[in-house]
Amino acid sequence: MGVINMQEKQYLFYEKQSLAAFWKTSMLAEKIFLVCWSINAVLMAIIFAVLTPMATDRGTAIFIFTLVWVLIFPGVLWISHRLVKAYWVIFKKEEVLRHGFYGQLKQKKKISYDEAAYILTGEAEPFVTPRPNLGPWYHRKFGDYLNVLDAQKHCLFTVRYSQENLNLLMEKCIHAQLMDIQTYRAKEKNH
């Protein structure tokens, strides 16, 4: 196990990998999506190639078809890539720098370690995700997460589980209570 670089971004939902690594490690739904997306891109290019000679103004048709194709296929993939890459935390000496959408706002926020009241561990899915209700999906893809909550039980930040991350949080969040996710949920049900 390595030592955490305190200034390094810890991406929550993103891993840089080659297409071969993606194909080897991705879930079946992602592979199906990639194949269908590629087939649609090729079919759309063929349709544009067939329709362009039929247009009255070929130059305009080529421009519009090319623009539509670029926006629909590479453009949407780029936006999706930027969205998942926008969620990260950086552990600093005195605080955590958190980035991502929390509620309806894109936020970059500094959070003091002293604000942490609970550190949830175990088979935990992320409390914050790029798309609502996809915590279980990201949990299956990336494994367990650590969720750090304040005294009012609002999520301060989420980070992927690793023993190094847990050790760092236990060291820095001296007032926080370490709690298993199942114990936390049982306590929430009883209240």
Side-chain angles (χ1 to χ4, degrees):
M1 298 285 174
V3 176
I4 293 175
N5 179 349
M6 294 285 281
Q7 297 299 319
E8 188 174 306
K9 286 182 182 177
Q10 306 232 353
Y11 289 105
L12 304 187
F13 313 111
Y14 166 77
E15 284 179 345
K16 187 173 183 178
Q17 53 188 340
S18 67
L19 186 60
F22 167 82
W23 199 258
K24 184 177 178 184
T25 61
S26 65
M27 299 189 329
L28 180 61
E30 292 176 297
K31 293 176 184 175
I32 291 170
F33 175 79
L34 181 64
V35 168
C36 291
W37 193 263
S38 301
I39 290 170
N40 282 336
V42 170
L43 287 176
M44 187 72 86
I46 292 169
I47 290 168
F48 288 170
V50 169
L51 292 178
T52 300
M54 298 177 193
T56 53
D57 183 358
R58 287 187 184 166
T60 304
I62 290 171
F63 174 75
I64 291 173
F65 287 157
T66 303
L67 184 63
V68 167
W69 191 89
V70 167
L71 289 176
I72 289 176
F73 293 101
V76 172
L77 285 178
W78 182 83
I79 290 167
S80 178
H81 166 79
R82 297 300 301 163
L83 179 65
V84 297
K85 200 174 177 183
Y87 287 79
W88 46 261
V89 295
I90 297 176
F91 294 120
K92 297 187 171 250
K93 286 186 180 181
E94 301 300 322
E95 73 253 335
V96 174
L97 182 61
R98 176 196 80 188
H99 193 270
F101 285 88
Y102 284 73
Q104 299 298 318
L105 302 173
K106 188 174 184 179
Q107 299 178 358
K108 189 183 284 187
K109 186 175 181 183
K110 290 180 181 176
I111 301 166
S112 170
Y113 291 111
D114 292 337
E115 293 180 48
Y118 302 96
I119 301 171
L120 303 183
T121 186
E123 300 237 350
E125 61 193 48
F127 277 24
V128 177
T129 59
R131 295 168 191 91
N133 305 319
L134 281 184
W137 188 87
Y138 286 110
H139 183 233
R140 283 194 310 274
K141 181 168 175 60
F142 295 115
D144 294 334
Y145 282 78
L146 295 167
N147 295 294
V148 180
L149 311 180
D150 64 13
Q152 290 76 39
K153 299 181 180 171
H154 297 121
C155 185
L156 294 173
F157 62 91
T158 292
V159 68
R160 283 199 223 172
Y161 176 84
S162 73
Q163 192 60 47
E164 291 85 7
N165 284 342
L166 181 58
N167 292 344
L168 176 78
L169 289 173
M170 291 302 296
E171 176 188 321
K172 295 284 187 178
C173 305
I174 55 174
H175 303 295
Q177 178 184 356
L178 183 64
M179 189 178 290
D180 185 81
I181 189 73
Q182 282 76 21
T183 306
Y184 173 78
R185 288 192 176 135
K187 281 187 177 182
E188 287 297 299
K189 270 188 176 178
N190 293 335
H191 284 101

